[in-house]
């Protein structure tokens, strides 16, 4: 490595205890002055044997653990596993359950994108104000989750065949009110951030991810769509009842940090459209199908036929896949998770090279990782 | 009864009457040192509370409310906490320099209070080279930061220290150049004379004074490492920059230095450009009444405290009803108003990047400061309408041109976002 002058390179370990690595993540960076010439992500500080545990418990028994994967988006993780089990065991889903799932998952997407935008601004050095604005709104969604599932973050709510329990009375009204009021918050947020000169200077043309690299590295989620690749599992697979709703997939053009920020804002607006339609059309009836209910009541009686299944959803952070292999026993023979945070993190070095330390921090922030999901 | 404006000065004179003649000059020095040494930490403590409260309100929070009414005792509890914390020195650190650095940071800042005129006839030392003294003493701070960062033997600290030195030295240049215009117009370096020169008009309301004032203030913000120029400590990047490896009272000393420096930046900006302690002759009783109403309505204060407060304020208002609002109150009010702006920055701005920060200093502030000297010359040389118009045009054209030259090609290019199916 030819350095710009007769100076030494400085090796610096950002993390695992660092305010801006979003958990116990470590970046071994080599700096030439302030410029990054090499950066190696080090993972594994939060490894909890989730997959191994999943292979030693019943299919249902893994649900509470999925909450802890991406602890911002417990509902999406639940849905991912539920879809995989349904596919494996051929379990029908109750109609009302389908709608409730969509509502929960889209609320999760809104919640996640709101929070990550706040965190991104925090990484940029804004002293908590945007983050607390974001968290004020996040709290409202968490209140809804708490009313439905009994827990704010570790929801453990979505089950094969539907959802664990129907939402309480008046919940849908509250959700409608929240969805109706949310665009105002987004407008306020955008008024403060989108055209802010410092934010533009900091984020535009920073951390550009080339389209080809993004595809080759199997990057998914807003990170991929910010580069302009039209790939959204909701549209591609049309899982659950997504084909019934009309919504768009926002795409960026440059693929820098600013595009990722703005694509997330637009995605929130699209999610709100889905939410409006789902909250309008939701039918009455049971929230879980009889087969699903039976499976929940007696988890060990659920012995899916031999075979393997891969099921994926568009989680807020990207493609979240669950791979299950059944050997005919009540517990999976193999249980694997394709975690979007983990895969998206692999291009960190490519995005950071040649930029400054301060840029690396916001690039990491713009990838949107949760260490619980990276390390599992 | 002496006038309210000179109440402290008269009190001091009256006290000195009791002393023998030979001791009076020494007593004068002792009193000044004593007042500064006692006031500086107290000012700092309540600045932290002020900042926390204001930022909390900007963030939909309350801020400290638990210790004392309105959290008024919070700074004391923080101070106590800092005192009893373990003092940790990294194993391979240079222990001596590690200990000296925070002290070297605080000492010059306290020295700076000496030339700050906080009211009419209220200045510890009216140096005839006051402005020079400010820049000379303030620049010692960068040594302290570098010493502290280097002695810590931590890479974060070293990076922070390197950033700090680059930043502080860069911003000293336009900061010093921006007051050259002021020296040219007033023909003095003494802070007191500069305030006197603003009796008719604050310098902020002249074209060159506006540019110089804004630049001096922003350079000052950069000098005391506050958002959006808080690169050396950048908590989201370098954990805490140069003071990462400090704890306990040493850490508190860094904070003391930073907050006092921020306060002094506000104080000096007020002195140099906002008329110092000068203010419109508003009768004092109006202010006393207003304060009495506020204190009377403060529901969380216990009733006796409110009653005494209202009575004292009412009595003061009656006693000095003929006086205008005293100069030291004007100075304090302006300084705190400016400090509010600083806190406002902190609460709302993201941080610039190190290279953008340098770019701002060298590519915008420096040419602007040089141009401003010329504009001030034009303003002085030609009488009112011509000189003012010419200097305004000159500065506006300069600012516009510099913004155009420095704008990166990429920014503000319209972005397209496709909403695909």
């Amino acid at each position: 490595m030819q350095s710009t002058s007769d100076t030494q390179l400085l090796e610096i370990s950002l993390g695992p205890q660092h305010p801006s690595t979003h958990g116990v993540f470590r970046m071994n960076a080599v700096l030439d002055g302030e410029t990054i010439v090499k950066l190696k992500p080090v993972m594994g500080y939060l490894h909890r044997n989730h997959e191994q545990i999943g292979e030693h418990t019943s299919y249902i028994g893994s649900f509470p653990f999925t909450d802890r994967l991406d602890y911002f988006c417990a509902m999406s993780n639940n849905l991912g596993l539920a879809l995989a089990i349904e596919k494996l065991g051929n379990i029908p889903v109750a109609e009302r359950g389908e709608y409730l799932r969509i509502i929960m998952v889209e609320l999760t997407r809104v919640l996640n994108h709101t929070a990550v935008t706040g965190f991104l601004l925090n990484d940029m050095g804004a002293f908590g104000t945007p983050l607390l604005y974001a968290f004020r709104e996040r709290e409202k969604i968490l209140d809804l989750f708490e009313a439905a599932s009994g827990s704010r973050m570790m929801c453990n709510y979505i089950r094969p065949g539907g959802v664990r329990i129907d939402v309480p009375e008046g919940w849908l009204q509250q959700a409608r009110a929240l969805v109706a009021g949310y665009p105002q918050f987004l407008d306020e947020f955008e008024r403060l951030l989108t055209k802010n000169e410092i934010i533009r200077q900091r984020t535009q043309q920073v951390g550009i991810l080339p389209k080809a690299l993004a595809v080759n590295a199997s990057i998914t989620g807003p990170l991929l769509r910010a580069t302009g690749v039209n790939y959204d599992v909701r549209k591609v697979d049309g899982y659950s009842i997504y084909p019934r709703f009309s919504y768009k997939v926002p795409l960026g053009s440059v693929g820098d940090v600013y595009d990722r920020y703005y694509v997330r804002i637009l995605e929130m607006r699209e999610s709100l459209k889905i939410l409006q339609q789902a909250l309008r059309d939701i039918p009455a009836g049971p929230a879980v199908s009889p087969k699903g209910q039976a499976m929940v009541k007696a988890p060990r009686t659920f012995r899916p036929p031999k075979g393997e299944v891969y099921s994926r959803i568009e989680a807020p952070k990207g493609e979240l896949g669950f791979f299950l292999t059944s050997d005919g026993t009540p517990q999976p023979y193999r249980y694997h998770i394709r975690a979007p945070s983990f895969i998206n993190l692999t291009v960190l070095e490519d995005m950071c090279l040649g930029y400054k330390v301060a840029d690396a921090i916001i690039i990491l922030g713009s990838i949107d990782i949760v260490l619980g999901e990276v390390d599992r | 009864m002496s006038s309210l404006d000179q109440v402290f000065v008269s009190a001091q004179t009256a006290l000195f009457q009791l002393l023998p003649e030979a001791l009076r000059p020494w007593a004068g020095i002792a009193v000044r040192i004593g007042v500064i040494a006692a006031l500086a930490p107290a000012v700092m403590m309540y600045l932290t509370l002020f900042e926390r409260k204001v930022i909390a309100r900007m963030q939909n929070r309350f801020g400290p409310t638990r210790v004392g009414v309105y959290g008024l005792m919070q700074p004391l509890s923080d101070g106590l906490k800092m005192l009893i914390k373990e003092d940790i020195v990294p194993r391979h650190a240079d222990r001596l320099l590690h200990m000296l650095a925070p002290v070297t940071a605080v000492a010059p800042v306290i020295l700076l209070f000496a030339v700050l005129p906080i009211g009419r006839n209220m200045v510890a030392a009216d140096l005839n080279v006051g402005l020079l003294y400010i820049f000379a003493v303030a620049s010692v701070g960068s040594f302290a930061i570098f010493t502290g960062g280097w002695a810590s033997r931590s890479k974060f600290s070293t990076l922070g220290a390197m950033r700090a030195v680059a930043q502080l030295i860069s911003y000293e240049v336009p900061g010093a150049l921006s007051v050259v215009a002021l020296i040219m117009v007033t023909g003095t370096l003494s802070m007191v004379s500069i305030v006197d020169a603003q009796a008719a008009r604050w310098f902020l309301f002249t074209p060159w004074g506006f540019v110089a004032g804004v630049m001096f203030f922003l350079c000052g913000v950069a000098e005391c490492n506050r958002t959006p120029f808080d690169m050396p400590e950048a908590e989201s990047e370098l954990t805490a920059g140069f003071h990462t490896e400090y704890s306990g009272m040493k850490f508190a000393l860094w904070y003391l230095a930073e907050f006092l420096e921020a306060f002094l930046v506000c104080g000096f900006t007020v002195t140099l450009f906002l008329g110092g302690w000068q203010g419109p002759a508003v009768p004092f009783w109006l202010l006393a009444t207003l304060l009495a109403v506020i204190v009377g309505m403060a529901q969380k204060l216990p009733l006796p405290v409110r009653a005494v407060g209202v009575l004292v304020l009412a009595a003061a208002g009656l006693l000095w009803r003929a006086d205008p609002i005293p100069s030291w109150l004007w100075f304090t009010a302006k300084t705190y108003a400016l400090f509010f702006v600083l806190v406002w920055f902190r609460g709302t701005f993201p941080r610039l990047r190190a290279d953008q920060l340098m770019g701002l200093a060298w590519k915008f502030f420096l040419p602007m400061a040089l141009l401003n000297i010329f504009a001030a010359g034009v303003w002085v040389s030609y009488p009112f309408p011509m000189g003012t118009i010419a200097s305004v045009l000159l500065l506006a054209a300069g600012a516009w041109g510099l913004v155009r030259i420095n704008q990166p090609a990429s920014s503000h290019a319209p972005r397209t976002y496709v909403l695909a199916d």
Side-chain angles (χ1 to χ4, degrees), chain B residues 21-307:
Chain B
E21 187 78 40
L23 278 181
R24 280 179 202 169
W26 297 103
I29 294 171
V31 163
R32 280 151 198 202
I33 292 175
V35 166
I36 289 174
L39 271 185
V43 164
M44 178 267 179
M45 285 169 104
Y46 280 91
L47 285 180
T48 60
L49 182 72
F50 177 76
E51 184 180 69
R52 287 174 69 178
K53 277 285 190 188
V54 171
I55 288 191
R57 289 293 168 170
M58 287 177 184
Q59 299 177 341
N60 307 312
R61 299 186 285 124
F62 287 105
T65 54
R66 295 286 136 180
V67 194
V69 240
Y70 302 113
L72 282 174
M73 293 292 120
Q74 184 71 41
L76 296 179
S77 104
D78 285 349
L80 192 66
K81 182 194 78 176
M82 287 298 188
L83 267 177
I84 59 180
K85 260 192 162 177
E86 186 188 355
D87 175 40
I88 299 167
V89 183
R91 191 179 297 151
H92 296 295
D94 187 328
R95 298 187 77 89
L96 178 67
L97 290 181
H98 189 264
M99 191 190 72
L100 275 181
V103 181
T104 1
V106 173
V109 181
I110 290 184
L111 283 178
L112 283 177
F113 272 94
V115 292
L116 189 68
I118 49 178
R120 190 176 281 123
N121 304 329
M122 286 166 73
V123 59
D126 180 16
L127 294 183
N128 58 359
V129 288
L131 264 177
L132 203 60
Y133 172 84
I134 293 174
F135 283 102
V137 175
S139 62
V140 176
S142 51
F143 286 101
I145 289 181
F146 195 72
T147 314
W150 189 257
S152 296
R153 270 273 186 141
S154 153
K155 285 169 182 176
F156 287 116
S157 302
T158 313
L159 264 181
M162 290 192 321
R163 283 182 176 190
V165 172
Q167 174 178 332
L168 296 189
I169 291 174
S170 301
Y171 275 87
E172 256 163 39
V173 177
L177 280 176
S178 66
V179 294
V180 168
L182 183 96
I183 300 166
M184 216 166 77
V185 172
T186 56
T188 175
L189 287 164
S190 151
M191 304 296 273
V192 174
S193 314
I194 289 172
V195 175
D196 287 337
Q198 297 180 73
R201 167 171 43 187
W202 299 358
F203 286 144
L204 195 77
F205 300 127
T206 59
W208 59 269
F210 179 75
V211 173
V214 170
M215 269 195 313
F216 180 80
F217 182 62
L218 289 180
C219 290
V221 176
E223 291 268 311
C224 57
N225 309 326
R226 290 182 61 95
T227 336
F229 306 111
D230 57 344
M231 218 57 43
E233 30 201 272
E235 82 283 344
S236 63
E237 297 152 26
L238 303 178
T239 54
F242 63 87
H243 56 54
T244 306
E245 305 292 347
Y246 280 90
S247 71
M249 215 47 208
K250 290 180 191 161
F251 178 73
L253 283 182
W254 283 118
Y255 253 72
L256 178 69
E258 184 185 322
F259 271 86
L260 286 184
E261 210 173 338
F263 183 76
L264 281 169
V265 164
C266 299
F268 285 132
T269 312
V270 165
T271 305
L272 298 178
F273 298 99
L274 285 165
W277 41 259
Q278 319 254 14
V282 182
F284 178 66
W285 62 266
L286 263 177
L287 180 72
T289 318
L290 190 70
L291 285 177
V293 170
I294 291 175
V295 171
M297 302 224 305
Q299 288 177 353
K300 285 199 184 134
L301 290 175
L303 202 59
V305 174
R306 278 155 72 187

Side-chain angles (χ1 to χ4, degrees), chain A residues 157-192:
Chain A
Y157 183 64
I158 294 171
R159 285 295 151 82
V163 296
R164 180 155 50 88
I165 188 169
D166 202 350
V167 290
E169 213 169 309
W171 191 92
L172 290 174
Q173 279 309 324
Q174 282 178 26
R176 281 184 198 115
L178 179 126
V179 169
Y182 216 84
Q184 283 165 348
F185 161 71
L186 286 182
D187 291 343
E188 182 197 20
F189 217 42
E190 274 209 68
R191 204 162 49 240
L192 293 172

Side-chain angles (χ1 to χ4, degrees), chain B residues 310-385:
Chain B
V310 169
L311 284 179
V312 166
L313 282 166
L318 268 177
L319 186 59
W320 287 298
R321 62 190 172 279
D323 285 18
I325 291 180
S327 55
W328 40 273
L329 260 185
W330 273 119
F331 175 81
T332 317
K334 286 185 204 169
T335 307
Y336 274 90
L338 215 51
F339 192 80
F340 172 79
V341 175
L342 266 187
V343 176
W344 193 2
F345 282 0
R346 177 119 195 250
T348 48
F349 278 150
R351 185 184 304 123
L352 285 163
R353 207 169 53 210
D355 55 323
Q356 291 166 342
L357 195 82
M358 292 295 156
L360 187 66
W362 292 107
K363 294 180 189 163
F364 187 78
F365 280 177
L366 185 63
M368 214 44 209
L370 290 170
L371 188 67
N372 195 39
I373 296 171
F374 186 59
V378 171
W379 187 83
V380 172
S381 310
Y382 295 94
F384 166 61

